[in-house]
Amino acid sequence: MKTGFSNKDLFAAVLRYLRYSPDAVVSEAVRQQVERAIAEVQELSTFKYIYDQHVEPMDFMNSPAYQNYMAGAEGYLLCATTLGVQVDRRIRRLQLIDMSYSLIVDAAASAYLEYCADEFESSLPFENLGFRFCPGYGGTSLQDNRAIAEQLNVEQIGITFLDSNLMVPMKSMLGVVRLGGKSTKNCAQCAARENCAYRRNGTRCYL
């Protein structure tokens, strides 16, 4: 799937996932590898997205982090998205033959999944969509993914879970998108703030 965002933006997002500082100057060799990885991920991806609209919060949304995110909202979407199994297979293969490049492809896949999900959400017939809040943000539990998955029946787009709660395909993402409200992404309320590698590099884990 190819989308309308610029490769320049995607390139910058991949560097962010690779923990480069915002003012870093990358070598030509790294630039070529990142561009190659982006092209591979775009070619291999089978992007899928499903969602369901809700008004009343689900049980797992009773924590302060979700309540803060949902402040002033009129409802929310539960969402699930994935790039499909081919990207996973490519990354696992590279881990056996070229670990360094596998990390770049992994970062490119993470960035591409975010961009595809953002673009899909921008096409939905809702006003005032908030940013996507995924389990794990702000100290929330990854176990919350299970509740979202059960509600959405994510098997229909090929997402399953391991006993460890990791998703398969690994380049999959579940979350909540509020309708209305005013909260914005910030580092201040994140449980990982004090030990965050992104902050040490002068950047952040989101756009």
Side-chain angles (χ1 to χ4, degrees), residues 73-91:
E74 301 169 356
Y76 62 96
L77 308 178
L78 292 180
C79 64
T81 181
T82 184
L83 294 184
V85 297
Q86 293 301 322
V87 174
D88 278 20
R89 289 172 180 167
R90 177 59 174 157
I91 292 171

Side-chain angles (χ1 to χ4, degrees), residues 51-69:
Y51 69 93
D52 194 9
Q53 185 176 357
H54 296 261
V55 175
E56 296 298 324
M58 296 182 65
D59 289 344
F60 75 88
M61 297 171 65
N62 290 329
S63 71
Y66 288 110
Q67 291 174 353
N68 178 69
Y69 169 72

